[in-house]
Amino acid sequence: MTTSLADIKKTITALERKYGREKNTVSLLAVSKKQSVEKILNLIKQGQRAFGENYLQEALDKMHDDLIVNCGEQIEWHFIGHIQRNKTKKIAEHFSWVHSVESFDIAERLSHQRPEQLSPLNICIEVNLDHEASKSGANIKAIPELAQAINGLPNIRLRGLMTIPKPRESLDAQHEPYHRLQVLFDSLNAAGLNLDTLSMGMSDDFEAAIAEGATIIRLGTALFGARE
Ligand SMILES: *Cc1c(COP(=O)(O)O)cnc(C)c1O
């Protein structure tokens, strides 16, 4: 089921109020993977600027599409997919944010390959909360040391943490992984980091994520409908 951008924004505002979050502290990343340029333009017309993509070539095709280029709006592209080592240069050159950094090696490459004339690349470390072997993300135990190391790199700015938990049925159960990410986030800041971003919550569980402190929710299906 799809909802209009205006309705999603209203829902976010209502959830901020419901969970005692300050107004406008949750921002919306429109996840446009496998969605058409026409659908993206339609959201741009309604005022959406931040778009998330998972597959590098698909994202580059969209960025260079005449309709997107000619729309004249400043779009902020976020890379949220699994990062192959040989793709870091293009990612560093074409995106404002990367949510899916899971190793020092990848962060160091992005830092090294970020063009000088661009502002620092905003980075989140992806955390594997459910210890799923098949899933991407760094092990939760490795995060404190990894975050300190990445934070020292030039040309990037470590903004926070991201996670994709395994699906859970009830709203109650959905709180649990997001709560753990928030606790980890607070402990990193208490240890001296200056993080401001919790990238968590997707179409099926963003209410729990907002309740637990999400600052960016990543919605695909809820905004665009089923993917092609
Ligand atoms: C696809 C994807 C989303 C969006 O998922 P929906 O369930 O369609 O909202 C969010 N985050 C990541 C990392 C994704 O790959």
Side-chain angles (χ1 to χ4, degrees):
M1 203 193 68
T2 86
T3 320
S4 75
L5 182 63
D7 284 343
I8 295 263
K9 289 263 174 84
K10 270 187 218 146
T11 303
I12 293 172
T13 303
L15 291 171
E16 285 171 340
R17 197 176 311 125
K18 176 174 175 184
Y19 292 103
R21 303 282 313 273
E22 265 177 61
K23 199 165 188 287
N24 298 325
T25 49
V26 179
S27 68
L28 173 62
L29 181 65
V31 175
S32 45
K33 63 163 178 249
K34 311 266 181 203
Q35 303 289 357
S36 68
V37 163
E38 286 69 27
K39 282 185 170 178
I40 294 174
L41 282 170
N42 180 38
L43 278 195
I44 293 172
K45 272 196 213 113
Q46 296 173 61
Q48 179 66 24
R49 291 292 170 271
F51 289 87
E53 289 282 341
N54 292 59
Y55 309 104
L56 179 61
Q57 192 53 54
E58 179 188 338
L60 295 176
D61 289 347
K62 285 172 180 165
M63 289 173 193
H64 296 131
D65 187 287
D66 285 346
L67 292 172
I68 298 279
V69 172
N70 292 338
C71 84
E73 298 293 348
Q74 196 65 41
I75 301 171
E76 188 181 86
W77 295 99
H78 295 229
F79 193 81
I80 62 173
H82 182 69
I83 303 173
Q84 289 167 281
R85 209 165 174 276
N86 62 349
K87 303 281 170 66
T88 51
K89 184 161 186 288
K90 284 253 162 28
I91 292 172
E93 288 170 352
H94 288 93
F95 289 81
S96 302
W97 282 75
V98 179
H99 293 231
S100 42
V101 172
E102 56 178 29
S103 70
F104 183 75
D105 174 49
I106 293 291
E108 194 176 35
R109 289 174 68 86
L110 291 170
S111 165
H112 183 64
Q113 293 166 335
R114 180 68 169 172
E116 293 269 308
Q117 71 275 16
L118 297 182
S119 56
L121 184 62
N122 296 294
I123 283 188
C124 292
I125 300 175
E126 181 175 349
V127 184
N128 183 346
L129 283 175
D130 291 321
H131 307 291
E132 291 174 276
S134 59
K135 265 275 190 64
S136 44
N139 190 297
I140 190 163
K141 292 204 188 76
I143 300 298
E145 201 177 321
L146 182 60
Q148 293 289 351
I150 290 177
N151 193 50
L153 291 168
N155 307 324
I156 62 169
R157 192 171 152 213
L158 181 62
R159 300 292 298 264
L161 304 175
M162 179 273 232
T163 199
I164 312 169
K166 66 173 193 252
R168 288 163 166 85
E169 294 290 318
S170 68
L171 178 62
D172 256 6
Q174 288 172 351
H175 277 255
E176 189 269 329
Y178 292 142
H179 181 70
R180 281 194 288 139
L181 200 70
Q182 192 202 29
V183 169
L184 178 63
F185 175 85
D186 288 345
S187 74
L188 295 175
N189 279 336
L193 292 175
N194 190 14
L195 308 180
D196 62 6
T197 301
L198 267 172
S199 169
M200 58 186 198
M202 307 192 285
S203 293
D204 289 333
D205 64 6
F206 67 91
E207 172 163 353
I210 290 174
E212 297 296 343
T215 65
I216 300 181
I217 58 172
R218 310 179 309 267
L219 303 189
T221 319
L223 267 177
F224 289 102
R227 285 180 273 277
E228 283 158 16

